[in-house]
Amino acid sequence: MNTFDNNIIAPLGVFWSLDPVSELEQRRAVMTSSPKVAVYSLSDLKNTTDDALPNYLTSLKVVQNHNHTDVRLLLGYLAVVVSGVTFYFDYTLGFDKTKYWTAWAVAAYFVLNGLFTWWIWRVEKGIVFQGSVKGQKLLLYSRTEKHIPIYHLTARYTSPSAPSLWQEVQLQAPFTRWFTADGFFVAKPFQQWLASEIPPIGQADPGNVVEEIGRGDGSARAMNVQPGRVEQVLDGLKDASGRMAGAQGARSRRKV
């Protein structure tokens, strides 16, 4: 469930605000702090969310481990070097003098690319973050399903008391939880979701833990709307908006 100050968020990710001034300020802040993405592009939504993960975690002093990325880059660079060296000697010495070496180079290139593909699909398997915080190791894997705008996140982590024992949490949430209707990324609900559901992140950022999402002290408030009560909630919002408009009009008349 999304949580914003003075806001109620409906089940389909529609933002309802009882304070039009604060809503306008929030939208301006979002538009100036994040790039706009195509809301119908699942890859854009996922990539933007994936990029926000390390930015948020490193801001919490979570030490990122780049071992997986380093191995992937090494395999890719080796393949490029092999192809470049092969082209250079073939261009300078001619094909007849280098054809045997070229055959070995082609074989090496295919082996390196095979290892590169295997590493991405079998070792990394969608990993978007690897790091540690306060003696706890943390691995995050993300994925999406075709044509379904839901973000799946798997978190594997250890505890300081049992560094060899891995625990796992599987999460999922619609992208509408942290993207506006016009495609702007909102960091706060995304950070609250992570901190409330993943213990190491919650311990590193207790201020973003929301009780209604997972654990927490209940400092942030959200309203759960049952499917059968949606119309009642909308009617209540309309009545509240009408009362606010009437009160503002009365204040304006008194000032005049």
Side-chain angles (χ1 to χ4, degrees):
M1 179 62 60
N2 291 338
T3 55
F4 284 92
D5 293 339
N6 299 324
N7 283 357
I8 297 174
I9 296 179
L12 297 180
V14 180
F15 295 86
W16 299 90
S17 174
L18 300 182
D19 187 351
V21 176
S22 64
E23 181 185 17
L24 180 60
E25 292 175 352
Q26 289 173 359
R27 288 180 60 84
R28 286 176 177 172
V30 169
M31 293 176 66
T32 57
S33 61
S34 63
K36 183 178 180 180
V37 301
V39 294
Y40 298 107
S41 174
L42 192 58
S43 61
D44 287 350
L45 295 173
K46 180 181 182 300
N47 291 336
T48 302
T49 304
D50 288 344
D51 292 341
L53 272 169
N55 294 335
Y56 167 52
L57 295 178
T58 52
S59 71
L60 302 177
K61 309 302 180 182
V62 180
V63 180
Q64 188 171 5
N65 188 327
H66 299 280
N67 288 343
H68 284 84
T69 304
D70 292 341
V71 172
R72 181 175 7 118
L73 290 175
L74 177 62
L75 292 173
Y77 284 138
L78 284 176
V80 172
V81 169
V82 168
S83 60
V85 170
T86 302
F87 170 79
Y88 172 78
F89 283 110
D90 181 65
Y91 181 79
T92 56
L93 301 178
F95 177 75
D96 290 335
K97 293 182 179 180
T98 60
K99 58 184 178 180
Y100 296 109
W101 292 106
T102 300
W104 283 105
V106 170
Y109 179 83
F110 277 102
V111 169
L112 289 171
N113 271 275
L115 289 173
F116 181 83
T117 303
W118 173 80
W119 184 265
I120 292 176
W121 291 100
R122 299 297 298 176
V123 178
E124 293 189 359
K125 293 185 295 186
I127 188 170
V128 289
F129 186 85
Q130 178 185 17
S132 60
V133 55
K134 298 180 180 180
Q136 296 176 278
K137 297 178 182 178
L138 178 64
L139 292 173
L140 298 177
Y141 305 82
S142 71
R143 65 179 180 85
T144 56
E145 298 179 0
K146 191 174 182 180
H147 304 313
I148 302 178
I150 293 179
Y151 189 68
H152 297 264
L153 186 68
T154 299
R156 300 186 69 238
Y157 59 92
T158 63
S159 63
S161 59
S164 60
L165 180 62
W166 288 90
Q167 303 179 58
E168 184 173 297
V169 176
Q170 295 186 2
L171 314 172
Q172 64 179 27
F175 285 105
T176 53
R177 178 167 289 182
W178 48 81
F179 278 96
T180 64
D182 44 3
F184 288 99
F185 177 81
V186 186
K188 188 66 174 178
F190 180 64
Q191 295 171 359
Q192 289 178 336
W193 179 61
L194 295 174
S196 302
E197 298 287 2
I198 303 174
I201 301 178
Q203 294 168 12
D205 188 16
N208 266 327
V209 177
V210 181
E211 186 176 9
E212 284 81 359
I213 298 178
R215 305 165 310 282
D217 56 3
S219 58
R221 294 180 175 85
M223 183 177 71
N224 292 319
V225 181
Q226 300 298 327
R229 298 186 63 249
V230 173
E231 293 184 0
Q232 299 177 17
V233 172
L234 295 181
D235 292 338
L237 290 172
K238 292 178 181 178
D239 293 340
S241 300
R243 289 194 298 269
M244 289 182 62
Q248 290 176 355
R251 286 196 298 269
S252 299
R253 288 193 295 272
R254 285 197 297 269
K255 290 180 180 179
V256 173

